[in-house]
Amino acid sequence: MFERFSRFQKILIPLISVVLGLIVGAIIMLVSGFNPIQGYAALLKGSLGESFYIGETIRQITPYIFAGLAVAFAFRTGLFNIGVEGQLLVGWVASVWVGLAFDLPKIIHLPMAILAGALAGALWAFIPGILKARLRVHEVIVTIMMNYIALHFCNYLIRFVISDEQNTTDRVPESASLKSPFFETLTEFSTMHYGIFLALAAVIIYYIILERTTTGFELRSVGFNQNASEYAGMNVNRNIVLSMLISGAFAGLGGAMEGLGTFGYGFIHGAFSGVGFDGIAVALLGGNVALGIVFAAALFGILKQGALIMPLESGVPTELVEIVIAIIIFFVASSYIIAYLLQRLKKGAK
Amino acid sequence: MSFLTALDILVQSMLLASAPLIFTALGGVFSERSGVVNIGLEGLMVIGAFSAVVFNITFASSLGDATPWVSLLVAMAVGGVFSLIHAVASISFRADHVVSGVAINFLALGLGVYLVKDWYGAGQTPQIPESFSYYRIPFLYDIPVIGPIFFDNFITSYIAIFVAIIAWYVLFKTPFGLRLRSVGEHPLAADTMGINVYKMRYTAVIISGVLGGLGGGVYALTISQIFSAGTITGQGFIALAAVIFGKWHPLGAMGAAMFFGLAQSLAIIGSSFPLLADVPNWVLLAAPYALTILALAGFIGRADAPKAIGTPYIKGKR
């Protein structure tokens, strides 16, 4: 994954991985007695076939973009943030909490609730960041553990602090809601909300921070080579913490999208939503670059949304898409072998 | 409630909850000691639970009392085969170990639930017909007071402790164990001494698959009794935490797994204990994870990972 590939290979390898993933999916459908063409047709119909489905797909893409940006941002600084799931969850709860606790005009209330999500996510990511910077504790394990602490902590908050021993909180008032009557009428009352604009804005911010600012240069430089960066006078520890903060803020924003837009409330999670883990797939497939993340998030949004219709239309269980995503991750992660085979193929052609 | 009854309940639920964690954590110790990070423990448990349950349901009528035992063997075999994916990706294809582990987790859950829906037409399997039950260890059970508390539990819990001791012996007292550890500390040096790094790592990952599958199978046959998407939710990651909290040592991992099992069961039954009634539930549920972070940060003794962990070994490259 960390080997250097040519520009052409950087685009080709994700494409090949997606195709391989879909082929494996087709084989699994065939073996278990389904018609793969029917299955994939149902998937396409369920994600893009009607305006309602398109609305739902875009709604699904929104948190994927945020989760992908969060994972990718840390990646570029050489950090692996598996904690997006937990950061997303605390962002979700924080935004709903602020949404419920205050009574303000929308122009103040909504930004405040969204920022609360970002802040909570950043705070949750700060812990692994500072532990890595100060004590060299590996961030992968800490972020995994933080996920579960977030899960139990948020469930506690929802049950005993925000609500009165209920399984869900109240709905956030209109003044803190991302719900969009315009999109709803446009897409036959799907749950599509204004969050997609924020997601696209976040992509641009991601690009600007990383590629167009000195801070971004330092962050990437630390990702390439810590020793060289240190030698060049950069503060490696500061950059590690900063990277985790920004990454966590993206994740927290993704949670705010769910809390203020998709659902409009918080609820007790028995297990993770999976958006944060899917974010790893989005970042990897998107090559950790802004545009790539948009495409990857769109692909996974289409797959996930379309999967919901597959059982009805073709009898194929929804989980087929999980398998396809896993295979795609597997091949992107094993890009070394794909690049190697491509090279052999080229040589063979000559 | 008398002290003895309380102790009885506590010990029983601790041993019950920790057995799957012990097996899986031991698997993690093998893999990580050889230098391969295994985030996929969760997925290995999922696939183990899935295969144990499906086998149990399918063959209970023909195998009778032996069903749970054979189910566990099947879970081990399937776990071992499944872990090959992680081995191929992270050892041969030089994939990032963490990413490959994430893929394993996705794949196991996706495949398991997909097949359950395809075969049983529902999101979960029926209840297993043949499960493990309490087992009284002969003679030891007859010891007054402590007998009924410590020697009347699921047999799988005793096996878990036994396997942990074997794992310790294998890793620290045999040439095989020394080689396995050396590959995780300094693969180049090990290679120079004629140890086949790839073979050792493959073996270690397969062992982790076998033990992870066993852990999942034990969980399914003693605790959940069914398989669904919600059967294994985080146990694999607790096991991973136990590996680290136990400082990558088999007996340490066993102790940590027991401790975490205790925390888990206290979260469920804690309210019946006067001392614990005031502790919020989430604190007990989150305790294993928080303690692991503290251990890693060096607040509870230093936890040092094997030196070469997470780095693919490329022959001829220094």
Side-chain angles (χ1 to χ4, degrees), chain A residues 29 92 98 127 130 144 164 184 191 228-229 257 276 297 311 314 332:
Chain A
M29 281 193 268
W92 182 334
V98 169
I127 299 172
I130 194 81
I144 290 177
D164 194 14
E184 279 174 14
T191 50
S229 310
M257 297 305 109
S314 60
V332 178

Side-chain angles (χ1 to χ4, degrees), chain B residues 294-311:
Chain B
L294 291 179
L296 269 176
F299 296 122
I300 315 175
R302 183 92 202 132
D304 283 318
K307 283 262 162 18
I309 199 159
T311 45

Side-chain angles (χ1 to χ4, degrees), chain A residues 6 11 32 54 77 114 152 159 166 171 173 186 188 210 222 248 257 261 272 285 291 297-298 301 316 318 330 340 342:
Chain A
S6 70
I11 298 173
S32 48
I54 294 177
T77 316
I114 295 173
H152 297 302
R159 195 166 181 83
Q166 302 294 310
R171 280 187 170 277
L186 199 71
E188 299 170 56
L210 271 182
V222 169
M257 297 305 109
F272 290 116
L285 190 67
L291 201 60
V316 179
T318 321
F330 177 80
Y340 175 78
L342 281 177

Side-chain angles (χ1 to χ4, degrees), chain A residues 2 4 68-81 129 132-133 136 138-139 206 209-211 213-227 229 234-248 250 283 287-289:
Chain A
F2 297 111
R4 306 273 168 265
L69 290 176
V71 177
F73 199 93
F75 256 139
R76 294 290 286 270
T77 316
L79 298 167
F80 200 156
N81 182 6
K132 169 91 178 184
R136 297 288 139 202
H138 206 292
E139 76 281 2
Y206 173 93
I209 295 180
L210 271 182
E211 316 283 350
T213 66
T214 325
T215 316
F217 177 77
E218 283 199 15
L219 289 169
R220 284 185 289 133
S221 162
V222 169
F224 276 124
N225 190 332
Q226 287 197 1
N227 295 330
S229 310
M234 297 173 193
N235 186 338
V236 171
N237 287 344
R238 199 187 70 95
N239 278 304
I240 287 175
V241 176
L242 184 66
S243 171
M244 282 307 281
L245 279 176
I246 297 175
S247 167
F250 278 127
N288 302 321
V289 295

Side-chain angles (χ1 to χ4, degrees), chain B residues 52-215:
Chain B
V53 167
V54 169
F55 184 86
N56 197 304
I57 292 170
T58 316
F59 290 96
S61 51
S62 51
L63 288 171
D65 285 346
T67 318
W69 297 104
V70 188
S71 306
L72 285 187
L73 288 179
V74 171
M76 289 164 77
V78 175
V81 171
F82 204 73
S83 67
L84 267 178
I85 302 173
H86 183 50
V88 169
S90 56
I91 302 167
S92 299
F93 291 179
R94 300 180 200 171
D96 185 90
H97 298 182
V98 176
V99 177
S100 160
V102 169
I104 288 284
N105 291 341
F106 270 117
L107 189 62
L109 194 61
L111 202 62
V113 179
Y114 178 89
L115 291 177
V116 164
K117 281 188 179 171
D118 191 23
W119 292 342
Y120 299 96
Q124 62 179 57
T125 63
Q127 177 119 9
I128 51 167
E130 294 279 345
S131 65
F132 283 105
S133 53
Y134 282 87
Y135 173 77
R136 289 179 177 175
I137 298 184
F139 306 116
L140 288 174
Y141 176 76
D142 299 328
I143 304 172
V145 189
I146 57 167
I149 295 177
F150 290 99
F151 302 111
D152 181 17
N153 289 291
F154 281 95
I155 191 160
T156 44
S157 307
Y158 303 118
I159 297 174
I161 296 168
F162 183 64
V163 170
I165 296 168
I166 295 178
W168 165 77
Y169 183 83
V170 168
L171 268 179
F172 288 92
K173 299 287 166 199
T174 64
F176 169 80
L178 181 66
R179 284 175 196 147
L180 193 146
R181 286 182 292 130
S182 73
V183 159
E185 294 290 334
H186 201 313
L188 183 61
D191 197 7
T192 318
M193 296 304 289
I195 299 169
N196 187 335
V197 176
Y198 299 114
K199 202 172 128 192
M200 281 319 287
R201 288 193 168 174
Y202 263 92
T203 316
V205 173
I206 291 169
I207 293 176
S208 87
V210 168
L211 288 171
L214 178 60

